[in-house]
Amino acid sequence: MPEISGKRVAILATHGFEQSELEVPLKKLREAGAKVDVVSLEPGEIKGWEKKDWGRPVPVDRTLDAVSPQDYDALVLPGGQINPDLLRIEDQALDFIKGFWTERKVIGAICHAPWLLVELGILKGRRVTSYKSIRTDVVNAGGKWEDSEVVTDQGLVTSRNPGDLDAFCGKLVEEIREGRHERRAA
């Protein structure tokens, strides 16, 4: 029996997501038994970024205006430079993310995606990693940045780059299996 059978996970992304940072968690979480929806701002498809050019399109399962954090057990935020930068100026996306945090649900953020958590003030006092170019942003937001492949802190799972996706997905599955997390003050 899959490890997280019956659990629901949202992957929030828009154009410019790092290709592997959406596709690998999508595949691994489904293999672990989760029902996973790609959620975006608009219906249709979103196009990824792969290395130095546009990647493959991925179908959008649900639009942001048709979902709420109550529909899911966990949230995955792929990185890439473009994707989180576009999402962090969208109030609806920020409200969606904040709802997961408020409800003590698991949030996974890869590479540049912690920019979204910086925007929401979620990182203060939390152990976290990210792509090295946003380290200063994370630290300035009060995060305790670590140069580690994956860092977990009370249901918050962060990964520094796409090369760490197997470890990231493993920790994400573990956190989802555990369920809601108490978020003691940092």
Side-chain angles (χ1 to χ4, degrees):
M1 175 178 234
E3 295 182 66
I4 54 174
S5 182
K7 299 294 185 179
R8 293 194 51 139
V9 180
I11 298 179
L12 177 62
T14 192
H15 297 289
F17 62 87
E18 184 68 33
Q19 199 78 43
S20 63
E21 295 176 17
L22 188 150
E23 291 178 341
V24 172
L26 179 65
K27 179 180 183 277
K28 299 264 186 194
L29 291 168
R30 284 180 175 164
E31 287 173 354
K35 163 73 170 96
V36 186
D37 288 332
V38 174
V39 176
S40 194
L41 302 168
E42 298 174 4
E45 296 179 330
I46 51 176
K47 198 161 199 179
W49 188 262
E50 191 159 26
K51 297 179 180 149
K52 297 183 180 187
D53 204 353
W54 290 102
R56 296 171 298 284
V58 171
V60 171
D61 298 307
R62 310 224 19 224
T63 55
L64 196 51
D65 62 354
V67 296
S68 77
Q70 292 79 24
D71 299 333
Y72 299 99
D73 299 292
L75 174 65
V76 176
L77 302 169
Q81 292 175 314
I82 301 167
N83 175 60
D85 202 39
L86 291 175
L87 288 175
R88 70 183 177 159
I89 60 169
E90 295 289 339
D91 289 339
Q92 194 174 26
L94 295 174
D95 289 345
F96 186 64
I97 298 164
K98 185 73 165 189
F100 281 86
W101 187 253
T102 302
E103 293 183 23
R104 301 180 331 265
K105 294 182 177 183
V106 174
I107 298 175
I110 309 165
C111 190
H112 285 78
W115 260 342
L116 292 159
L117 308 177
V118 165
E119 198 66 34
L120 290 166
I122 287 174
L123 297 182
K124 187 171 184 173
R126 302 283 169 220
R127 293 177 46 247
V128 64
T129 193
S130 67
Y131 191 71
K132 62 186 173 184
S133 69
I134 68 165
R135 174 186 181 168
T136 300
D137 297 333
V138 168
V139 170
N140 286 344
K144 297 176 181 178
W145 193 87
E146 296 180 18
D147 187 14
S148 300
E149 68 177 355
V150 177
V151 174
T152 304
D153 187 334
Q154 298 176 350
L156 178 62
V157 182
T158 53
S159 178
R160 67 179 167 204
N161 66 51
D164 304 328
L165 290 175
D166 284 341
F168 170 79
C169 291
K171 279 295 188 187
L172 199 58
V173 166
E174 182 181 314
E175 292 296 304
I176 293 169
R177 193 174 53 241
E178 288 177 8
R180 292 179 187 251
H181 289 75
E182 289 302 316
R183 299 246 161 79
R184 294 177 290 278

